[in-house]
Coordinates of all heavy atoms in Angstrom, one line a residue:
M41 N -23.9 10.9 8.3 CA -23.3 10.9 6.9 C -22.0 10.1 6.9 O -21.1 10.3 7.7 CB -23.1 12.3 6.5 CG -22.4 12.4 5.2 SD -22.3 14.2 4.7 CE -20.6 14.1 3.9
T42 N -22.0 9.2 6.0 CA -20.7 8.4 5.8 C -20.0 8.9 4.6 O -20.6 9.3 3.6 CB -21.0 6.9 5.7 OG1 -21.9 6.7 4.6 CG2 -21.7 6.4 7.0
T43 N -18.7 8.8 4.7 CA -17.9 9.1 3.5 C -17.4 7.8 2.9 O -17.4 6.7 3.5 CB -16.7 9.9 3.9 OG1 -15.9 9.3 4.9 CG2 -17.1 11.3 4.5
D44 N -17.0 7.9 1.7 CA -16.6 6.8 0.9 C -15.1 6.8 0.5 O -14.7 6.3 -0.5 CB -17.4 6.7 -0.4 CG -18.0 5.3 -0.6 OD1 -17.8 4.5 0.3 OD2 -18.5 5.1 -1.6
L45 N -14.3 7.5 1.4 CA -12.9 7.7 1.1 C -12.1 6.5 1.5 O -12.3 5.8 2.5 CB -12.4 8.9 1.9 CG -12.9 10.3 1.4 CD1 -12.4 11.3 2.3 CD2 -12.4 10.5 0.0
N46 N -11.1 6.2 0.6 CA -10.2 5.2 0.9 C -8.8 5.7 0.7 O -8.6 6.5 -0.2 CB -10.3 3.9 0.1 CG -11.7 3.2 0.3 OD1 -12.7 3.5 -0.3 ND2 -11.7 2.3 1.3
C47 N -7.8 5.2 1.5 CA -6.4 5.6 1.3 C -6.0 5.3 -0.1 O -6.2 4.1 -0.6 CB -5.6 4.9 2.3 SG -3.8 5.2 2.0
E48 N -5.4 6.2 -0.8 CA -5.0 6.0 -2.2 C -3.8 5.2 -2.3 O -3.3 4.8 -3.4 CB -4.8 7.3 -2.9 CG -6.1 8.1 -3.1 CD -6.0 9.4 -3.8 OE1 -4.9 9.7 -4.4 OE2 -6.9 10.2 -3.7
S49 N -3.2 4.9 -1.2 CA -1.9 4.1 -1.2 C -2.2 2.6 -0.8 O -1.7 1.7 -1.4 CB -0.9 4.7 -0.2 OG 0.1 3.8 0.1
C50 N -3.1 2.4 0.3 CA -3.3 1.0 0.7 C -4.7 0.6 0.7 O -5.0 -0.6 0.9 CB -2.7 0.9 2.1 SG -3.7 1.7 3.4
G51 N -5.7 1.5 0.5 CA -7.1 1.2 0.3 C -7.9 1.1 1.6 O -9.0 0.9 1.6
M52 N -7.2 1.4 2.7 CA -8.0 1.3 3.9 C -9.0 2.6 4.1 O -8.6 3.6 3.6 CB -7.1 1.2 5.2 CG -6.7 2.4 5.9 SD -5.6 2.0 7.3 CE -6.7 2.2 8.6
P53 N -10.1 2.4 4.7 CA -11.1 3.5 4.8 C -10.5 4.7 5.6 O -9.9 4.4 6.7 CB -12.3 2.9 5.5 CG -12.1 1.4 5.3 CD -10.7 1.2 5.3
I54 N -10.7 5.9 5.2 CA -10.2 7.0 5.9 C -11.3 8.1 6.0 O -12.2 8.0 5.2 CB -8.9 7.6 5.2 CG1 -9.1 7.9 3.7 CG2 -7.7 6.7 5.4 CD1 -8.0 8.6 3.1
E55 N -11.1 9.0 6.9 CA -12.1 10.1 7.1 C -11.9 11.2 6.2 O -12.9 11.8 5.8 CB -11.9 10.6 8.5 CG -11.9 9.6 9.6 CD -13.3 9.4 10.3 OE1 -13.9 10.4 10.6 OE2 -13.7 8.3 10.4
S56 N -10.7 11.6 5.9 CA -10.5 12.8 5.0 C -9.1 12.7 4.4 O -8.3 11.9 4.8 CB -10.6 14.0 5.9 OG -9.5 14.0 6.8
G57 N -8.9 13.5 3.4 CA -7.6 13.5 2.7 C -7.4 12.4 1.7 O -8.4 11.9 1.2
H58 N -6.2 12.1 1.4 CA -5.9 11.1 0.4 C -5.3 9.8 0.9 O -5.4 8.8 0.3 CB -5.0 11.7 -0.7 CG -5.5 12.8 -1.5 ND1 -6.4 12.6 -2.5 CD2 -5.4 14.1 -1.3 CE1 -6.8 13.8 -3.0 NE2 -6.2 14.7 -2.3
Y59 N -4.6 9.9 2.1 CA -3.8 8.8 2.6 C -4.1 8.6 4.0 O -4.4 9.5 4.8 CB -2.3 9.0 2.4 CG -2.0 9.4 1.0 CD1 -1.5 10.6 0.7 CD2 -2.2 8.5 -0.1 CE1 -1.1 11.0 -0.6 CE2 -1.9 8.8 -1.4 CZ -1.3 10.1 -1.6 OH -1.1 10.5 -2.9
C60 N -4.0 7.3 4.5 CA -4.2 7.0 5.9 C -2.9 7.4 6.7 O -1.9 7.7 6.2 CB -4.5 5.5 6.1 SG -3.1 4.4 5.8
Q61 N -3.0 7.2 8.0 CA -1.9 7.6 8.9 C -0.7 6.7 8.7 O 0.4 7.1 8.9 CB -2.4 7.5 10.4 CG -2.9 6.1 10.7 CD -3.4 6.0 12.1 OE1 -2.8 6.4 13.1 NE2 -4.6 5.4 12.3
Y62 N -0.9 5.4 8.2 CA 0.2 4.5 8.1 C 1.0 4.8 6.8 O 2.2 4.4 6.8 CB -0.4 3.1 8.0 CG -1.2 2.7 9.2 CD1 -2.5 2.6 9.1 CD2 -0.5 2.6 10.5 CE1 -3.3 2.3 10.3 CE2 -1.3 2.3 11.6 CZ -2.7 2.1 11.5 OH -3.4 1.8 12.6
C63 N 0.4 5.4 5.9 CA 1.1 5.6 4.6 C 1.8 7.0 4.5 O 2.4 7.3 3.5 CB 0.1 5.5 3.4 SG -0.5 3.8 3.3
T64 N 1.7 7.8 5.6 CA 2.3 9.1 5.5 C 3.3 9.2 6.6 O 3.4 8.5 7.6 CB 1.2 10.2 5.7 OG1 0.4 9.8 6.9 CG2 0.3 10.3 4.5
D65 N 4.2 10.2 6.4 CA 5.2 10.5 7.5 C 4.6 11.5 8.5 O 3.4 11.9 8.4 CB 6.5 11.1 6.8 CG 6.3 12.4 6.1 OD1 5.2 13.0 6.3 OD2 7.1 12.7 5.2
G66 N 5.4 12.1 9.4 CA 4.8 13.0 10.4 C 4.3 14.3 9.8 O 3.5 14.9 10.4
Q67 N 4.7 14.6 8.6 CA 4.2 15.8 8.0 C 3.0 15.6 7.1 O 2.5 16.5 6.4 CB 5.3 16.5 7.1 CG 6.3 17.3 7.9 CD 7.3 16.4 8.7 OE1 7.8 15.5 8.1 NE2 7.5 16.7 9.9
G68 N 2.5 14.4 7.0 CA 1.3 14.1 6.2 C 1.7 13.8 4.7 O 0.8 13.7 3.9
N69 N 3.0 13.6 4.4 CA 3.4 13.3 3.1 C 3.4 11.8 2.8 O 3.8 11.1 3.8 CB 4.8 13.9 2.8 CG 4.9 15.4 2.9 OD1 4.1 16.1 2.3 ND2 5.8 15.8 3.8
L70 N 3.1 11.4 1.7 CA 3.1 10.0 1.3 C 4.5 9.4 1.5 O 5.5 10.1 1.0 CB 2.6 9.8 -0.1 CG 2.5 8.3 -0.6 CD1 1.4 7.6 0.2 CD2 2.1 8.3 -2.1
Q71 N 4.7 8.3 2.1 CA 6.0 7.7 2.2 C 6.4 7.2 0.8 O 5.6 7.0 -0.1 CB 5.9 6.5 3.2 CG 5.6 6.9 4.6 CD 5.3 5.8 5.6 OE1 5.3 4.6 5.1 NE2 5.2 6.1 6.8
D72 N 7.7 6.9 0.7 CA 8.2 6.4 -0.6 C 7.8 5.0 -0.9 O 7.4 4.2 0.0 CB 9.7 6.7 -0.8 CG 10.5 5.9 0.1 OD1 10.1 4.8 0.5 OD2 11.7 6.3 0.4
F73 N 7.9 4.6 -2.1 CA 7.5 3.3 -2.6 C 8.1 2.2 -1.8 O 7.5 1.3 -1.4 CB 7.8 3.2 -4.1 CG 7.4 1.8 -4.6 CD1 6.1 1.5 -4.9 CD2 8.4 0.9 -4.8 CE1 5.8 0.2 -5.4 CE2 8.1 -0.4 -5.2 CZ 6.8 -0.7 -5.6
D74 N 9.4 2.3 -1.7 CA 10.1 1.1 -1.0 C 9.7 0.9 0.4 O 9.5 -0.2 0.9 CB 11.7 1.4 -1.0 CG 12.2 1.3 -2.4 OD1 11.6 0.6 -3.3 OD2 13.3 1.8 -2.7
T75 N 9.4 2.1 1.1 CA 8.9 2.0 2.5 C 7.5 1.3 2.5 O 7.3 0.4 3.3 CB 8.8 3.4 3.1 OG1 10.1 4.0 3.0 CG2 8.4 3.3 4.6
R76 N 6.7 1.8 1.7 CA 5.3 1.2 1.6 C 5.3 -0.2 1.2 O 4.6 -1.0 1.7 CB 4.4 2.0 0.7 CG 4.0 3.4 1.3 CD 3.7 3.4 2.8 NE 2.6 2.4 3.1 CZ 2.5 1.9 4.3 NH1 3.3 2.3 5.3 NH2 1.6 1.1 4.6
F77 N 6.1 -0.5 0.2 CA 6.2 -1.9 -0.3 C 6.6 -2.8 0.8 O 6.0 -3.9 1.0 CB 7.1 -2.0 -1.5 CG 7.2 -3.4 -2.1 CD1 6.1 -3.9 -2.8 CD2 8.3 -4.2 -1.9 CE1 6.1 -5.1 -3.4 CE2 8.3 -5.5 -2.5 CZ 7.2 -5.9 -3.2
A78 N 7.7 -2.5 1.5 CA 8.2 -3.3 2.6 C 7.1 -3.5 3.7 O 6.9 -4.6 4.2 CB 9.4 -2.7 3.2
A79 N 6.4 -2.4 4.1 CA 5.4 -2.5 5.1 C 4.2 -3.3 4.6 O 3.6 -4.1 5.4 CB 4.9 -1.1 5.4
M80 N 3.8 -3.2 3.4 CA 2.7 -4.0 2.9 C 3.1 -5.5 2.7 O 2.2 -6.4 2.9 CB 2.2 -3.4 1.6 CG 1.4 -2.1 1.9 SD 0.9 -1.1 0.5 CE -0.6 -1.9 0.0
V81 N 4.3 -5.8 2.4 CA 4.8 -7.2 2.4 C 4.7 -7.8 3.8 O 4.1 -8.9 3.9 CB 6.2 -7.3 1.8 CG1 6.8 -8.6 2.1 CG2 6.2 -7.1 0.3
D82 N 5.1 -7.0 4.8 CA 5.0 -7.5 6.2 C 3.5 -7.8 6.5 O 3.2 -8.8 7.2 CB 5.5 -6.4 7.1 CG 7.0 -6.4 7.2 OD1 7.7 -7.3 6.6 OD2 7.6 -5.5 7.8
W83 N 2.7 -6.8 6.2 CA 1.3 -6.9 6.5 C 0.7 -8.2 5.8 O 0.0 -9.0 6.4 CB 0.6 -5.6 6.0 CG -0.9 -5.5 6.3 CD1 -1.4 -5.4 7.5 CD2 -1.9 -5.5 5.3 NE1 -2.8 -5.3 7.4 CE2 -3.1 -5.3 6.0 CE3 -1.9 -5.5 3.9 CZ2 -4.4 -5.3 5.4 CZ3 -3.2 -5.4 3.3 CH2 -4.4 -5.3 4.0
Q84 N 1.0 -8.3 4.5 CA 0.5 -9.5 3.8 C 1.0 -10.8 4.4 O 0.3 -11.8 4.4 CB 0.9 -9.3 2.3 CG 0.3 -10.4 1.4 CD -1.2 -10.2 1.1 OE1 -1.7 -9.2 1.4 NE2 -1.8 -11.2 0.6
Q85 N 2.2 -10.8 4.8 CA 2.8 -12.0 5.4 C 2.1 -12.4 6.7 O 2.0 -13.6 7.0 CB 4.3 -11.7 5.7 CG 5.2 -12.8 5.5 CD 6.6 -12.4 5.1 OE1 7.1 -11.3 5.5 NE2 7.3 -13.2 4.3
R86 N 1.7 -11.4 7.5 CA 0.9 -11.7 8.7 C -0.4 -12.3 8.4 O -1.0 -13.1 9.1 CB 0.8 -10.5 9.6 CG 2.0 -10.1 10.3 CD 1.8 -9.2 11.5 NE 1.4 -7.9 11.0 CZ 2.2 -6.9 10.7 NH1 3.5 -7.1 10.7 NH2 1.7 -5.7 10.2
R87 N -1.0 -11.9 7.2 CA -2.3 -12.4 6.8 C -2.2 -13.8 6.2 O -3.1 -14.6 6.2 CB -3.0 -11.5 5.8 CG -3.3 -10.1 6.4 CD -3.8 -9.2 5.4 NE -5.2 -9.6 4.9 CZ -5.7 -9.5 3.7 NH1 -4.9 -8.9 2.8 NH2 -6.9 -9.8 3.4
S88 N -1.0 -14.1 5.6 CA -0.8 -15.4 4.9 C 0.5 -16.0 5.4 O 1.5 -16.0 4.7 CB -0.8 -15.2 3.4 OG -1.8 -14.3 3.0
P89 N 0.5 -16.4 6.6 CA 1.8 -16.9 7.2 C 2.5 -18.0 6.5 O 3.7 -18.2 6.5 CB 1.4 -17.3 8.6 CG 0.0 -16.9 8.9 CD -0.6 -16.6 7.5
G90 N 1.7 -18.8 5.8 CA 2.3 -20.0 5.1 C 2.8 -19.7 3.7 O 3.5 -20.5 3.1
A91 N 2.5 -18.5 3.2 CA 2.9 -18.2 1.8 C 4.4 -17.9 1.6 O 5.0 -17.4 2.5 CB 2.1 -17.1 1.3
S92 N 4.9 -18.2 0.4 CA 6.3 -18.0 0.2 C 6.5 -16.5 0.0 O 5.6 -15.7 -0.4 CB 6.8 -18.7 -1.0 OG 6.2 -18.1 -2.2
R93 N 7.8 -16.1 0.2 CA 8.1 -14.6 -0.1 C 7.8 -14.2 -1.5 O 7.3 -13.1 -1.7 CB 9.6 -14.5 0.2 CG 10.2 -13.1 0.1 CD 10.0 -12.4 1.4 NE 10.3 -11.0 1.2 CZ 10.2 -10.0 2.2 NH1 9.7 -10.4 3.4 NH2 10.5 -8.8 2.0
E94 N 8.0 -15.1 -2.5 CA 7.7 -14.7 -3.9 C 6.2 -14.5 -4.0 O 5.8 -13.5 -4.7 CB 8.2 -15.8 -4.8 CG 9.7 -16.0 -5.0 CD 10.3 -16.6 -3.8 OE1 9.7 -17.3 -3.0 OE2 11.6 -16.4 -3.6
T95 N 5.4 -15.3 -3.5 CA 4.0 -15.2 -3.6 C 3.5 -13.9 -2.9 O 2.7 -13.1 -3.5 CB 3.3 -16.4 -2.9 OG1 3.7 -17.6 -3.5 CG2 1.8 -16.3 -3.0
I96 N 4.0 -13.6 -1.7 CA 3.7 -12.4 -1.0 C 4.0 -11.2 -1.8 O 3.2 -10.3 -1.9 CB 4.4 -12.4 0.4 CG1 4.0 -13.6 1.2 CG2 4.2 -11.1 1.1 CD1 2.7 -13.5 1.9
E97 N 5.2 -11.2 -2.3 CA 5.7 -10.0 -3.1 C 4.9 -9.8 -4.3 O 4.5 -8.7 -4.7 CB 7.2 -10.1 -3.4 CG 8.0 -9.9 -2.1 CD 9.5 -9.7 -2.5 OE1 9.9 -9.8 -3.7 OE2 10.3 -9.6 -1.5
A98 N 4.5 -10.9 -5.0 CA 3.7 -10.8 -6.2 C 2.3 -10.3 -5.9 O 1.8 -9.4 -6.6 CB 3.6 -12.2 -6.9
E99 N 1.8 -10.8 -4.8 CA 0.4 -10.3 -4.4 C 0.5 -8.8 -4.0 O -0.5 -8.1 -4.3 CB -0.1 -11.2 -3.2 CG -0.5 -12.5 -3.6 CD -0.9 -13.4 -2.4 OE1 -0.8 -13.0 -1.3 OE2 -1.3 -14.6 -2.7
T100 N 1.5 -8.5 -3.3 CA 1.6 -7.1 -2.9 C 1.8 -6.1 -4.1 O 1.1 -5.1 -4.2 CB 2.8 -6.9 -1.9 OG1 2.6 -7.7 -0.8 CG2 2.9 -5.4 -1.5
R101 N 2.6 -6.6 -5.1 CA 2.7 -5.8 -6.3 C 1.4 -5.6 -7.0 O 1.1 -4.6 -7.5 CB 3.7 -6.5 -7.3 CG 5.1 -6.1 -7.0 CD 6.0 -6.2 -8.2 NE 7.3 -5.8 -7.8 CZ 8.2 -6.6 -7.2 NH1 7.9 -7.9 -7.0 NH2 9.4 -6.2 -6.8
S102 N 0.7 -6.7 -7.1 CA -0.5 -6.7 -7.9 C -1.6 -5.8 -7.2 O -2.3 -5.1 -7.8 CB -1.0 -8.1 -8.3 OG -2.0 -8.5 -7.4
Y103 N -1.6 -5.9 -5.8 CA -2.5 -5.0 -5.1 C -2.1 -3.6 -5.2 O -2.9 -2.7 -5.5 CB -2.4 -5.4 -3.6 CG -3.4 -4.6 -2.7 CD1 -4.8 -4.8 -2.9 CD2 -2.9 -3.7 -1.9 CE1 -5.7 -4.1 -2.1 CE2 -3.8 -2.9 -1.1 CZ -5.2 -3.1 -1.2 OH -6.1 -2.4 -0.5
M104 N -0.8 -3.3 -5.1 CA -0.4 -1.9 -5.2 C -0.6 -1.3 -6.6 O -0.9 -0.1 -6.7 CB 1.1 -1.7 -4.8 CG 1.3 -1.9 -3.3 SD 3.0 -1.8 -2.8 CE 3.3 0.0 -2.6
S105 N -0.6 -2.2 -7.6 CA -0.8 -1.7 -8.9 C -2.3 -1.3 -9.2 O -2.6 -0.7 -10.2 CB -0.3 -2.7 -10.0 OG -1.2 -3.8 -10.0
T106 N -3.2 -1.6 -8.3 CA -4.5 -1.1 -8.4 C -4.8 0.2 -7.6 O -5.8 0.8 -7.6 CB -5.5 -2.2 -7.8 OG1 -5.4 -2.3 -6.4 CG2 -5.3 -3.5 -8.5
M107 N -3.8 0.6 -6.9 CA -3.9 1.8 -6.0 C -3.5 3.1 -6.8 O -2.5 3.1 -7.4 CB -3.0 1.7 -4.8 CG -3.4 0.6 -3.8 SD -4.9 1.2 -3.0 CE -6.0 -0.2 -3.4
P108 N -4.3 4.1 -6.7 CA -4.0 5.4 -7.4 C -2.7 5.9 -7.1 O -2.0 6.5 -8.0 CB -5.1 6.4 -6.9 CG -6.2 5.5 -6.4 CD -5.6 4.2 -5.9
A109 N -2.2 5.8 -5.9 CA -0.9 6.3 -5.5 C 0.3 5.6 -6.2 O 1.3 6.2 -6.4 CB -0.7 6.3 -4.0
W110 N 0.1 4.4 -6.6 CA 1.2 3.6 -7.1 C 1.1 3.0 -8.4 O 2.0 2.4 -9.0 CB 1.5 2.4 -6.1 CG 1.6 2.8 -4.7 CD1 0.8 2.5 -3.6 CD2 2.6 3.6 -4.1 NE1 1.2 3.0 -2.5 CE2 2.3 3.8 -2.7 CE3 3.8 4.3 -4.6 CZ2 3.2 4.5 -1.9 CZ3 4.5 5.0 -3.8 CH2 4.3 5.1 -2.4
R111 N -0.1 3.1 -9.1 CA -0.3 2.2 -10.2 C 0.6 2.6 -11.4 O 0.9 1.7 -12.2 CB -1.7 2.2 -10.7 CG -2.3 3.6 -11.1 CD -3.8 3.4 -11.3 NE -4.4 4.7 -11.4 CZ -5.6 5.0 -11.0 NH1 -6.4 4.0 -10.6 NH2 -6.1 6.2 -11.0
N112 N 1.2 3.8 -11.4 CA 2.1 4.2 -12.5 C 3.5 4.2 -12.0 O 4.4 4.7 -12.7 CB 1.7 5.5 -13.1 CG 0.4 5.5 -13.8 OD1 0.1 4.5 -14.5 ND2 -0.4 6.5 -13.6
H113 N 3.8 3.6 -10.8 CA 5.1 3.7 -10.3 C 6.1 2.7 -11.0 O 5.7 1.6 -11.3 CB 5.1 3.3 -8.8 CG 6.3 3.7 -8.1 ND1 7.5 2.9 -8.1 CD2 6.7 4.7 -7.3 CE1 8.4 3.4 -7.4 NE2 8.0 4.6 -6.9
P114 N 7.3 3.2 -11.3 CA 8.2 2.4 -12.0 C 8.6 1.1 -11.3 O 8.9 0.1 -11.9 CB 9.5 3.2 -12.2 CG 9.2 4.6 -11.6 CD 7.8 4.6 -11.1
G115 N 8.4 1.1 -10.0 CA 8.7 -0.1 -9.2 C 7.7 -1.2 -9.5 O 7.9 -2.4 -9.2
L116 N 6.6 -0.9 -10.1 CA 5.5 -1.9 -10.4 C 5.4 -2.2 -11.9 O 5.1 -3.3 -12.3 CB 4.2 -1.4 -10.0 CG 4.0 -1.2 -8.5 CD1 2.7 -0.5 -8.2 CD2 4.0 -2.6 -7.8
T117 N 5.7 -1.3 -12.8 CA 5.4 -1.4 -14.2 C 6.3 -2.5 -14.8 O 5.8 -3.2 -15.8 CB 5.6 -0.1 -14.9 OG1 6.9 0.4 -14.6 CG2 4.5 0.9 -14.6
N118 N 7.5 -2.8 -14.4 CA 8.3 -3.8 -15.0 C 8.4 -5.1 -14.1 O 9.3 -5.8 -14.2 CB 9.7 -3.3 -15.4 CG 10.4 -2.6 -14.3 OD1 9.9 -2.8 -13.1 ND2 11.4 -1.9 -14.5
A119 N 7.4 -5.3 -13.2 CA 7.5 -6.4 -12.4 C 6.9 -7.6 -13.1 O 6.1 -7.5 -14.0 CB 6.6 -6.2 -11.1
Ligands
ZN293 ZN1 -2.8 3.9 3.6

């Protein structure tokens, strides 16, 4: 039996719960927006080494705005 769960913060497939191991702290709580945003910018930068910082940040914002954990976050709504 397969599950169809994805992390509500970054979208990666997970086995259970709402968030993956990368998006939570040691207690299983979701990390704050700034922490996740910085980590996802880094991740995106590794995938697109030639892209400018502005492009990377815009792509990261638009990706995060599709995620249940972040889509109503004030850090994204006025971007
Ligand atoms: Zn995640």
Side-chain angles (χ1 to χ4, degrees):
M41 174 178 142
T42 56
T43 56
D44 228 8
L45 287 173
N46 295 90
C47 174
E48 293 178 16
S49 166
C50 72
M52 97 182 251
I54 52 174
E55 306 262 315
S56 62
H58 295 282
Y59 309 114
C60 73
Q61 59 184 313
Y62 303 108
C63 293
T64 49
D65 62 19
Q67 280 77 46
N69 300 307
L70 184 65
Q71 293 171 357
D72 66 27
F73 175 80
D74 290 337
T75 303
R76 288 320 304 156
F77 183 72
M80 287 170 82
V81 164
D82 281 352
W83 182 67
Q84 186 71 15
Q85 218 151 27
R86 283 197 294 276
R87 295 174 71 214
S88 316
S92 71
R93 183 84 188 177
E94 288 74 22
T95 303
I96 299 281
E97 288 190 0
E99 286 174 357
T100 302
R101 276 207 177 82
S102 95
Y103 182 71
M104 287 178 86
S105 71
T106 69
M107 289 290 121
W110 307 117
R111 63 185 164 212
N112 296 319
H113 194 280
L116 294 171
T117 50
N118 52 15

